[in-house]
Amino acid sequence: MPTFTKDSPVYTYYPLFKWGVYSLLAINIVLFFLHETFIEGLETLAWVALLLLFEWETSQLDKPYINKWEKYAIHLGRLLAYVIILYSAYEYATPEYRAEHGPLDMYNSLTWLVIVALLEYDVYANGLYGRFEWHVRNTIKIILYAALFVYAGMWAYEGGILDFYDATLWIICFFAIELNIFKFEETLPYSGEEEVRDKPAS
């Protein structure tokens, strides 16, 4: 993994790269409303909101909420985003939508839902899981992200350039969220290992 010391070039340029990609993704909201279905545009808007909320929370994992209003605002924003995202997933799964557009949107949406469920667990259970659980969770994530790359390739093969471009941006953006979590987790012991580490040698 890249190092994030203050003397590292990655430390200097990575935030610029990350927010540049986030900005491109925000532009996609307009592109999807103009060139794709309304439900896809609405879903993209909700996902961008959810991404930014994850970015805020995962970059502040070592800090408490400023006040209760910050906490409530984040939870409310996430709830609204999830309502739209779940509604979109339902629409993608309807026989009418699949007959017109195929099942790929449905598979992509369901895969992302599982990923964000794991990210929610990362945010609210940091440091509470053991080493084996950490490896299992991240192995599942690797499989899910690999599936997203497959979906993106299928869109490119079918000529859906905007879908391919959008899917690739999303993967890059959520890798940034994963990196926020990794940076925080590497400072924590696994659950149950604190006692072993602190136990004096006999």
Side-chain angles (χ1 to χ4, degrees), residues 14 18-19 22 50-60 173 176-177 180:
Y14 172 71
K18 177 175 67 174
W19 285 102
Y22 285 1
L50 186 63
L51 172 74
L52 294 177
L53 290 171
F54 268 126
E55 169 63 32
W56 175 256
E57 287 223 275
T58 59
S59 64
Q60 308 285 324
C173 287
I177 302 300
N180 287 344

Side-chain angles (χ1 to χ4, degrees), residues 4 6 9-10 15 17-18 31 61 76 94 99 157 159 168 198 202:
F4 281 83
K6 291 188 177 181
V10 176
F17 168 77
K18 177 175 67 174
L31 294 177
L61 286 172
L76 178 59
T94 60
Y157 178 76
T168 304
D198 295 337
S202 54

Side-chain angles (χ1 to χ4, degrees), residues 125-184:
N126 248 299
L128 300 180
Y129 35 75
R131 184 183 298 270
F132 176 75
E133 183 182 356
W134 186 89
H135 284 294
V136 169
R137 195 183 78 250
N138 283 283
T139 298
I140 294 172
K141 282 186 183 180
I142 290 171
I143 294 170
L144 294 171
Y145 281 115
L148 294 176
F149 276 114
V150 172
Y151 304 152
M154 292 174 68
W155 273 312
Y157 178 76
E158 294 174 357
I161 301 303
L162 179 58
D163 286 322
F164 169 76
Y165 168 73
D166 180 71
T168 304
L169 278 181
W170 276 113
I171 294 169
I172 294 172
C173 287
F174 270 85
F175 277 164
I177 302 300
E178 298 285 0
L179 195 54
N180 287 344
I181 294 171
F182 176 83
K183 286 162 57 182
F184 178 70

Side-chain angles (χ1 to χ4, degrees), residues 48-152:
V48 169
L50 186 63
L51 172 74
L52 294 177
L53 290 171
F54 268 126
E55 169 63 32
W56 175 256
E57 287 223 275
T58 59
S59 64
Q60 308 285 324
L61 286 172
D62 57 341
K63 300 180 180 69
Y65 290 112
I66 297 173
N67 52 49
K68 66 178 182 180
W69 299 113
E70 179 195 16
K71 180 179 179 180
Y72 293 156
I74 289 173
H75 290 340
L76 178 59
R78 294 242 285 260
L79 177 61
L80 293 174
Y82 277 126
V83 168
I84 296 173
I85 289 167
L86 289 171
Y87 174 74
S88 301
Y90 167 77
E91 286 292 316
Y92 293 147
T94 60
E96 296 80 10
Y97 189 95
R98 286 185 286 126
E100 182 176 355
H101 302 281
L104 199 52
D105 286 329
M106 179 184 69
Y107 297 148
N108 182 69
S109 181
L110 293 176
T111 302
W112 275 115
L113 284 173
V114 178
I115 288 175
V116 295
L118 292 171
L119 285 173
E120 292 285 359
Y121 181 78
D122 289 336
V123 169
Y124 291 105
N126 248 299
L128 300 180
Y129 35 75
R131 184 183 298 270
F132 176 75
E133 183 182 356
W134 186 89
H135 284 294
V136 169
R137 195 183 78 250
N138 283 283
T139 298
I140 294 172
K141 282 186 183 180
I142 290 171
I143 294 170
L144 294 171
Y145 281 115
L148 294 176
F149 276 114
V150 172
Y151 304 152

